[in-house]
Amino acid sequence: MKSFFPMERLELVALLFLVLFSIVSFLPVFRTVELFGMAAFGWLMAALMLVSPAATLFIFVRGQKKR
């Protein structure tokens, strides 16, 4: 019996993108850089909170339409 279900290629790409984006966002260099009066870390965290659910939802909905 398999413990995991097969993952579609687009879902794997999205997962890798989100993991890499998270790693880059937490690099210490972005804590000192400022954009529009706010640390780049804050902008990256906001983007991560908005982009990750939206992108994941889009990919899952698109995958459901194919089936």
Side-chain angles (χ1 to χ4, degrees):
M1 182 171 112
K2 289 180 130 180
S3 298
F4 298 100
F5 58 90
M7 184 179 284
E8 292 184 25
R9 185 176 180 150
L10 191 58
E11 292 173 1
L12 180 62
V13 170
L15 177 64
L16 291 175
F17 170 76
L18 291 174
V19 168
L20 290 174
F21 187 76
S22 298
I23 291 170
V24 169
S25 296
F26 281 101
L27 289 175
V29 71
F30 292 113
R31 296 180 195 274
T32 57
V33 177
E34 286 195 14
L35 300 169
F36 304 110
M38 190 168 102
F41 177 75
W43 289 109
L44 291 170
M45 288 298 105
L48 189 61
M49 286 189 294
L50 293 173
V51 170
S52 64
T56 307
L57 184 62
F58 174 75
I59 289 169
F60 285 148
V61 168
R62 184 175 174 216
Q64 291 294 326
K65 288 182 181 178
K66 286 184 179 179
R67 294 177 194 170

